[in-house]
């Protein structure tokens, strides 16, 4: 049986990747943000997971408003990034995973979730920035990645409760996979933020901290929110919390918080990070 060893949540803003490429981690602006990550990198280095399931959102690179899967699952041997408007980032392609991916696809459909199955997709900062953050120098190619994409851009979006249940279904699918792989799960993006409109720059740090508390002890409480609630309380892009909820669903049972970091603002976001391990 494949085993989920824990979950990691992190902001995915493109500026993080740029700061690392330019060696700005120890500058006044970035110091507190990057200080959160070495213990998580050490944990990954100790644990040596074989596979990462990464919940992310496609911000319009591959899945634009005209074709927007509610949930999408990557089943490809490799994923490349592409031009998001500033030229193609010169980072290595992400290694895919095909056997567990297809097992998850089959199990999801068997349990009444019907994702779009993707054998050829480009991945954006929502997926690549967290990997580069965990493996500095973009040294993530040893890790087999299963991208799981949740619509956070185009209404109607899947409800927080549904994203949590989707994560649980994936967690159970992993547990039923005949293999001895160690799996880590990422929830990326968030927390409170709004990138445009009248409330551009809006952040709600109290709400962000409450979300991180509840993610550990009572994730069900977060599933009571609607997407409209999240937008009102945390800004238009706070719906990215849904990826954190899907990650938490995957962990299935009780978890222990090993690390947490929170800095706001980083770019336009409340930048949270957590390392949760299965009890
Ligand atoms: C920012 C936040 C995001 O979630 C994103 O996808 C891109 C940029 C930001 O705050 O800069
Ligand atoms: Fe985002």
């Amino acid at each position: 049986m494949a085993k989920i060893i824990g979950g990691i949540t992190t902001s995915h803003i493109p500026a993080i990747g740029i700061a690392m490429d330019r060696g700005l981690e120890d500058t006044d602006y970035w110091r507190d943000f990057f200080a959160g990550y070495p213990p998580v990198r050490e944990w990954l280095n100790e644990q040596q997971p074989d596979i990462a399931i990464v919940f992310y959102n496609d911000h319009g690179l591959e899945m634009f408003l005209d074709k927007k899967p509610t949930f999408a699952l990557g089943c490809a041997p490799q994923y490349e990034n592409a031009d998001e408007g500033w030229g193609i980032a010169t980072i290595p392609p992400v290694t895919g995973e095909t056997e567990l991916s297809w097992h998850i696809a089959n199990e999801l459909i068997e349990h009444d979730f019907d994702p779009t199955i993707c054998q050829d997709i480009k991945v954006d900062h929502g997926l690549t920035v967290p990997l580069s953050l965990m493996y500095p120098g973009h040294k993530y190619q040893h890790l087999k990645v299963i991208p799981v994409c949740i619509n956070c851009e185009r209404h109607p979006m899947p409800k927080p409760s549904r994203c949590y249940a989707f994560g649980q279904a994936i967690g159970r699918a992993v547990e039923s996979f005949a293999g001895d792989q160690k799996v880590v799960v990422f929830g990326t993006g968030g927390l409170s933020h709004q990138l445009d409109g009248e409330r551009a720059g809006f952040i709600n740090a109290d709400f962000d901290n409450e979300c991180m508390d509840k993610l550990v002890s009572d994730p069900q409480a977060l599933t009571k929110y609607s997407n409209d609630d999240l937008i009102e309380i945390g800004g238009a892009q706070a719906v990215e919390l849904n990826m954190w909820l899907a990650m938490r669903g995957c962990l299935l049972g009780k978890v222990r918080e090993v690390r947490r970091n929170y800095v706001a603002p980083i770019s336009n976001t409340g930048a949270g990070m957590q390392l949760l391990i299965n009890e």
Side-chain angles (χ1 to χ4, degrees):
M1 166 179 124
K3 187 167 183 268
I4 296 181
I5 55 171
I8 296 170
T9 58
T10 177
S11 166
H12 61 210
I13 62 174
I16 298 166
I18 295 165
M20 291 182 80
D21 288 342
R22 295 189 183 160
L24 302 176
E25 289 104 313
D26 199 28
T27 55
D28 287 347
Y29 185 83
W30 287 105
R31 194 171 296 117
D32 292 346
F33 173 83
F34 282 107
Y37 288 86
V40 184
R41 293 177 190 141
E42 275 160 35
W43 180 81
L44 284 167
N45 196 34
E46 275 162 33
Q47 295 291 325
Q48 294 288 330
D50 304 290
I51 298 171
I53 295 173
V54 183
F55 290 101
Y56 77 111
N57 57 319
D58 181 291
H59 298 76
L61 175 74
E62 181 75 61
M63 300 159 189
F64 198 52
L65 303 177
D66 56 341
K67 294 176 208 74
K68 199 67 177 172
T70 302
F71 296 119
L73 173 71
C75 292
Q78 181 170 298
Y79 302 94
E80 291 187 12
N81 69 320
D83 193 345
E84 292 189 53
W86 301 281
I88 301 178
T90 51
I91 58 173
V94 174
T95 308
E97 199 287 342
T98 49
E99 287 183 26
L100 178 57
S101 302
W102 280 107
H103 174 77
I104 291 172
N106 284 313
E107 287 297 301
L108 281 175
I109 287 173
E110 198 56 39
H111 293 93
D112 304 320
F113 281 93
D114 310 298
T116 301
I117 293 168
C118 303
Q119 298 192 73
D120 183 13
I121 42 166
K122 304 273 193 296
V123 289
D124 78 2
H125 64 272
L127 182 131
T128 58
V129 166
L131 291 177
S132 295
L133 192 45
M134 298 304 150
Y135 299 100
H138 312 292
K139 294 200 173 73
Y140 46 67
Q141 284 189 295
H142 64 287
L143 184 68
K144 293 182 169 178
V145 173
I146 302 179
V148 187
C149 189
I150 298 180
N151 169 24
C152 294
E153 295 77 29
R154 205 240 176 271
H155 297 277
M157 300 167 190
K159 297 189 292 187
S161 56
R162 188 73 176 150
C163 295
Y164 183 66
F166 179 61
Q168 287 177 310
I170 292 178
R172 289 188 202 108
V174 173
E175 284 203 337
S176 71
F177 185 66
D180 57 2
Q181 294 90 338
K182 286 166 120 179
V183 180
V184 64
V185 188
F186 284 82
T188 85
L191 281 163
S192 63
H193 63 305
Q194 171 141 348
L195 298 179
D196 51 20
E198 263 177 39
R199 293 202 301 164
F202 178 80
I203 286 174
N204 185 339
D206 290 339
F207 179 65
D208 292 344
N209 281 294
E210 185 195 317
C211 286
M212 290 194 283
D213 291 344
K214 289 283 188 319
L215 211 64
V216 180
S217 60
D218 186 13
Q220 289 284 355
L222 296 172
T223 67
K224 308 272 188 304
Y225 290 113
S226 67
N227 283 320
D228 284 352
D229 292 335
L230 294 181
I231 289 166
E232 194 176 321
I233 301 168
Q237 277 74 43
V239 287
E240 290 185 354
L241 174 68
N242 285 335
M243 267 100 60
W244 293 40
L245 266 174
M247 177 288 301
R248 181 62 180 89
C250 256
L251 303 185
L252 296 174
K254 282 203 161 42
V255 299
R256 184 159 60 87
E257 183 182 62
V258 181
R259 291 282 162 182
R260 179 191 293 199
N261 199 39
Y262 182 76
V263 188
I266 286 293
S267 190
N268 289 301
T269 69
M273 182 219 86
Q274 280 173 299
L275 168 60
L276 307 177
I277 60 171
N278 279 56
E279 290 268 71

